[in-house]
Amino acid sequence: MPGRSSSSYVRKWPNAREVDAAARRWAMALARSRPEVLEIGYFGSYARGDWGPGSDLDLVVIVASSPLPFERRAAEIDATNLPVPADLLVYTQQEWQALRKRSPHFARTLRREIVWLFHRPATRKPDTGPDTVPGCYS
């Protein structure tokens, strides 16, 4: 007697190398199109190496300034061409520099985990922001 065949399919979740490569391409394209973008990095499960199926990519974008409130800035950046869902945090340079005082635990997490994808030359003053680990740009 014939058995019923499944109509479902298996989707392969991208691995960390694929996500990192796609994120680097995305970051460079974003930086080329938006001169206010100073730095881009990611943190969380892909940065720590404990990602899995369903993991999103946690991105930090630092801009020179923005007229929009923090809560609305991420909606202005298209991350739909990344191979996994993305969660964007868009800080102004001033907010980024104040993050250590405003949210010290989160700033320590970022300093420990962040993988930098883009850094616009001559935008960072020494020892500013939560990510002052020397050589943190990849």
Side-chain angles (χ1 to χ4, degrees):
M1 178 172 211
R4 183 178 166 156
S5 67
S6 172
S7 61
S8 66
Y9 62 93
V10 175
R11 179 176 176 176
K12 180 182 175 282
W13 200 259
N15 67 36
R17 236 176 312 162
E18 294 167 325
V19 171
D20 180 82
R24 288 177 188 281
R25 289 188 302 272
W26 173 84
M28 293 309 291
L30 179 64
R32 277 193 300 273
S33 69
R34 310 256 319 245
E36 72 274 17
V37 171
L38 303 177
E39 298 181 271
I40 303 169
Y42 66 88
F43 66 99
S45 62
Y46 278 99
R48 290 189 306 267
D50 59 4
W51 62 276
S55 292
D56 68 348
L57 183 62
D58 300 301
L59 291 158
V60 171
V61 178
I62 303 168
V63 296
S65 63
S66 175
L68 297 173
F70 180 81
E71 303 79 28
R72 293 192 39 221
R73 291 182 204 143
E76 300 290 314
I77 298 176
D78 181 12
T80 57
N81 62 345
L82 290 168
V84 296
D87 187 19
L88 275 78
L89 300 175
V90 183
Y91 292 98
T92 65
Q93 190 173 33
Q94 184 177 11
E95 291 165 344
W96 182 250
Q97 291 170 351
L99 191 61
R100 277 192 293 188
K101 290 181 182 172
R102 193 176 69 248
S103 185
H105 177 72
F106 185 53
R108 278 191 302 276
T109 298
L110 288 172
R111 185 173 44 247
R112 186 174 53 251
E113 294 182 2
I114 203 156
V115 174
W116 290 107
L117 303 171
F118 172 78
H119 168 69
R120 195 170 301 281
T123 58
R124 178 182 301 261
K125 294 177 184 156
D127 196 32
T128 59
D131 55 333
T132 56
V133 177
C136 63
Y137 300 104
S138 334

